[in-house]
Amino acid sequence: MKKEILRTIIYFTLTVLAVSYLIFRYFVMTAPSDFHIEGLVPAAFSVIFYSIASIHELAKCHGKYFWTAIRCSIFHPTSKVYVSLSYLLQIKTSGDNFYFLVKGNKIDQYQPVGGVFQIVGSKNIEKDWNAQLKTDKTNPRDLRFYVQASKIPEIIQWFKSEKDRETGVWREFREELIDTGVVSEEIFKTTNVEFLRTEECILKKETRFDNEKYHTLIYKVFRIELTPEQENEFNKLKNNKKFTEDYAFVKRKDIESECFDEHKKRIGQHTKYIL
């Protein structure tokens, strides 16, 4: 990506120089020589057309991330960015359309089952991206860290490649629901998971943590396909009690308003991504 950004800067600079020359030629010069008329003018137009076409091809190649790369590399290269790369699981009971949430263990709110992906293999983000880790002692490989904005395009490309990182969603499901005894391990020996979409919040202005200016949050959203037996397990929980200190069953309107139980219980902002 760095080479493409450098090329873009070069093309843009050449275009500005060529346009500046043409303005000078047609609005300032009164008696241009043949060298200008037959040499420099055609050359300037050629530079403009070639540069614009090249920038267009680069933009088309990188799609929606092209402007992100420009922002990160040119406008905010040294800004501190908090990065979180995670997944969310949509668990919904059929018929009544209740969404199942769990109580967050770091923030006093209810949110979808899920969490940050983890590094696998020998990937060293501290060395590769000069990242500052934001992890706890029990999860040292979590993909939650700080970097300079100039590294964001490379991080996005790496994340999309799925190389050297966790790709499954079973770990958090087990930790939050089975290991805690919320649902039966026997009934949830296997689960079918459907990928729904990716939700991104890139270079969002934030000052939640010390010295950071922006957040870059990427969520992979999945839906758990419940078998009749598994759905019955969740229905038993719901019929027994719609919310406890460990979990809650909420409606769409609750998620949209980010609260339930007469505004006493908070729902995390990112929960809307499972709707």
Side-chain angles (χ1 to χ4, degrees):
M1 178 66 82
K2 289 182 180 178
K3 291 181 179 178
E4 284 85 349
I5 296 301
L6 179 60
R7 286 167 58 193
T8 301
I9 294 171
I10 292 172
Y11 293 144
F12 181 77
T13 302
L14 289 174
T15 300
V16 170
L17 291 174
V19 170
S20 299
Y21 165 73
L22 291 174
I23 292 172
F24 174 76
R25 157 66 184 86
Y26 286 107
F27 295 98
V28 178
M29 294 183 70
T30 55
S33 65
D34 290 341
F35 176 68
H36 284 278
I37 297 172
E38 297 177 5
L40 292 183
V41 169
F45 277 113
S46 296
V47 167
I48 292 171
F49 292 138
Y50 177 78
S51 297
I52 291 175
S54 298
I55 292 173
H56 175 72
E57 284 302 313
L58 286 172
K60 191 165 66 172
C61 177
H62 294 286
K64 65 179 181 179
Y65 298 110
F66 182 73
W67 177 240
T68 295
I70 296 294
R71 289 178 65 198
C72 292
S73 301
I74 299 177
F75 298 111
H76 311 289
T78 61
S79 294
K80 187 176 181 180
V81 183
Y82 168 66
V83 178
S84 177
L85 309 173
S86 56
Y87 57 92
L88 307 174
L89 300 181
Q90 181 202 87
I91 302 175
K92 184 171 67 168
T93 56
S94 61
D96 53 14
N97 291 322
F98 273 96
Y99 292 85
F100 178 80
L101 308 179
V102 291
K103 184 73 172 292
N105 56 14
K106 292 184 175 67
I107 304 175
D108 185 18
Q109 64 182 22
Y110 290 82
Q111 58 197 30
V113 175
V116 291
F117 288 102
Q118 292 189 342
I119 298 168
V120 297
S122 59
K123 180 70 175 176
N124 187 333
I125 64 174
E126 293 175 278
K127 179 181 176 181
D128 295 344
W129 303 325
N130 196 28
Q132 299 174 359
L133 303 183
K134 187 181 185 300
T135 58
D136 55 52
K137 292 181 180 179
T138 59
N139 298 294
R141 298 175 71 80
D142 280 0
L143 283 167
R144 185 189 290 120
F145 52 88
Y146 300 98
V147 291
Q148 289 191 337
S150 60
K151 300 294 184 182
I152 295 299
E154 182 182 345
I155 290 168
I156 292 173
Q157 281 194 329
W158 171 82
F159 181 70
K160 287 170 67 67
S161 76
E162 298 189 345
K163 184 179 179 181
D164 298 325
R165 73 163 176 86
E166 187 179 40
T167 56
V169 299
W170 176 247
R171 177 178 54 82
E172 287 286 353
F173 185 93
R174 166 172 278 281
E175 289 179 5
E176 295 186 349
L177 298 185
I178 294 177
D179 292 349
T180 56
V182 174
V183 298
S184 164
E185 182 174 12
E186 182 65 27
I187 293 176
F188 286 88
K189 274 185 177 178
T190 60
T191 55
N192 293 324
V193 180
E194 176 190 5
F195 173 69
L196 296 180
R197 61 189 169 274
T198 300
E199 296 285 352
E200 300 173 336
C201 183
I202 299 174
L203 288 191
K204 178 185 177 184
K205 190 74 173 177
E206 285 282 357
T207 55
R208 193 167 47 162
F209 305 123
D210 291 342
N211 301 320
E212 54 100 29
K213 289 188 175 181
Y214 300 99
H215 280 188
T216 289
L217 311 175
I218 301 179
Y219 300 97
K220 292 284 186 180
V221 185
F222 299 85
R223 181 175 68 87
I224 298 290
E225 270 189 6
L226 299 174
T227 66
E229 190 178 21
Q230 290 170 346
E231 179 146 13
N232 186 50
E233 179 93 343
F234 278 109
N235 282 330
K236 285 180 181 178
L237 284 175
K238 181 182 60 186
N239 293 336
N240 181 49
K241 206 166 187 180
K242 281 197 171 60
F243 63 88
T244 69
E245 284 301 310
D246 298 316
Y247 65 83
F249 289 88
V250 300
K251 287 290 198 176
R252 182 187 187 98
K253 62 180 178 59
D254 299 319
I255 295 175
E256 291 173 341
S257 62
E258 298 179 9
C259 61
F260 67 101
D261 188 27
E262 298 180 344
H263 306 285
K264 297 174 186 175
K265 307 292 185 183
R266 179 182 169 191
I267 295 176
Q269 289 183 342
H270 63 297
T271 306
K272 62 181 178 292
Y273 294 133
I274 69 170
L275 295 176

